[in-house]
Amino acid sequence: MDSENALELNVIDFIASDPQQLVEMSNGRTIMINGINQDIELNDVAFVERQQDWRFSLLSVITNPNVAYILMLIGIYGLLLEFYNPGVGLPGVLGGICLVLAMYSLQMLPVSYAGLALILLGIALMVAEAFSPSFGIFGLGGVAAFSLGSIMLMDTEVPGYQIALPLIIGISLFSVAFIVVTLSMLARVRSKPVTTGMEAVVGETGKVVSGFPGAGRVLVAGEIWQAQCTSELQAGQSIRVTKLTGLSLDVEALSDETSSKTG
């Protein structure tokens, strides 16, 4: 409700544009206090201006809905980063401080708990997308929940208490970009051939140590393996690994030309 509507509904008696006008319009009016009419006498009024100290200045800043919103996000992401990378310290400390300040700010603001729950759900889904890829399902659902929760966070229609829409859009776009980058990195990792573990031995070349035909031992990547081959192999002959079966290798003989190229 603005001042004009309040005046029309008799919620207020008048509208003053400055303290001097307030004194002039109040002087001589009669008000009722505890059932007794009292006349207001404001002759020779002296105005004393008091400066706001740093504590109230700080509180006025952090109780701004946009600042409280940013503090909450920094706090949540800071604690998540510390949780997944323990020992760093700074994200956890900074996140804890920001989260406490955000909680203090939000308890002084008309917060919608449904909006807050949607924000937390959205962040949880985006984190789940980063660590358990679902090809964007968790991520996009998280961005949608996060955006809706941000819009619903302030449970009031008073303009000064609403979170700025450009801020919500900016953070939502950043979240989408983060998800896209994460998915692209995962796709590149999955497309790479295996370079670690026993599977990495497939395709490697080596030498026959003993045995064959049928089964024997081969030297591959500095290790001696049990191997199978259907063809006749001689000790010292070059081979290539074609398959890994349990702890045994399937190998094939290399021609002299191929052996010289790989060597």
Side-chain angles (χ1 to χ4, degrees):
M1 180 184 297
D2 58 20
S3 58
E4 298 293 340
N5 291 332
L7 183 61
E8 291 178 2
L9 297 174
N10 294 322
V11 176
I12 58 177
D13 294 324
F14 55 85
I15 300 174
S17 59
D18 54 58
Q20 182 63 44
Q21 187 181 17
L22 174 63
V23 170
E24 293 174 355
M25 298 180 71
S26 300
N27 190 27
R29 298 179 68 89
T30 301
I31 60 174
M32 182 175 290
I33 301 177
N34 295 327
I36 301 174
N37 290 328
Q38 299 283 345
D39 294 330
I40 300 177
E41 296 182 0
L42 299 175
N43 297 318
D44 301 325
V45 173
F47 293 94
V48 178
E49 184 177 354
R50 296 184 180 274
Q51 295 294 331
Q52 193 177 58
D53 64 12
W54 67 270
R55 292 173 299 175
F56 288 100
S57 299
L58 175 63
L59 291 177
S60 65
V61 171
I62 65 175
T63 51
N64 182 296
N66 294 308
V67 176
Y69 178 70
I70 294 173
L71 287 174
M72 180 185 66
L73 295 181
I74 293 175
I76 293 173
Y77 282 117
L79 293 179
L80 286 174
L81 183 60
E82 182 66 28
F83 177 76
Y84 287 109
N85 297 276
V88 177
L90 180 60
V93 173
L94 182 62
I97 294 173
C98 290
L99 193 58
V100 171
L101 290 175
M103 292 172 62
Y104 175 80
S105 303
L106 292 175
Q107 62 93 22
M108 300 183 67
L109 296 170
V111 174
S112 167
Y113 291 104
L116 184 60
L118 280 172
I119 290 176
L120 296 177
L121 175 62
I123 293 175
L125 289 174
M126 286 186 283
V127 171
E129 179 65 45
F131 291 92
S132 301
S134 62
F135 300 99
I137 297 176
F138 287 163
L140 295 178
V143 172
F146 178 85
S147 301
L148 289 174
S150 300
I151 295 172
M152 297 169 53
L153 184 59
M154 292 300 149
D155 189 17
T156 178
E157 296 182 359
V158 178
Y161 284 95
Q162 298 300 320
I163 297 175
L165 188 59
L167 178 62
I168 297 175
I169 294 174
I171 294 178
S172 299
L173 291 177
F174 172 80
S175 301
V176 171
F178 173 76
I179 292 170
V180 171
V181 171
T182 301
L183 291 177
S184 63
M185 291 175 63
L186 289 172
R188 285 199 299 269
V189 169
R190 290 186 176 183
S191 64
K192 290 182 178 180
V194 177
T195 57
T196 59
M198 291 192 299
E199 291 82 359
V201 78
V202 177
E204 292 287 333
T205 59
K207 298 286 186 180
V208 176
V209 176
S210 63
F212 294 102
R217 295 188 300 167
V218 296
L219 177 65
V220 178
E223 297 178 339
I224 296 178
W225 296 75
Q226 295 293 329
Q228 296 85 232
C229 183
T230 56
S231 60
E232 184 81 23
L233 297 176
Q234 303 295 328
Q237 187 174 350
S238 298
I239 51 89
R240 176 188 288 119
V241 180
T242 59
K243 184 180 179 182
L244 174 65
T245 305
L247 297 177
S248 181
L249 304 178
D250 290 357
V251 299
E252 63 180 3
L254 287 180
S255 63
D256 294 338
E257 182 180 352
T258 305
S259 177
S260 61
K261 289 182 180 179
T262 57

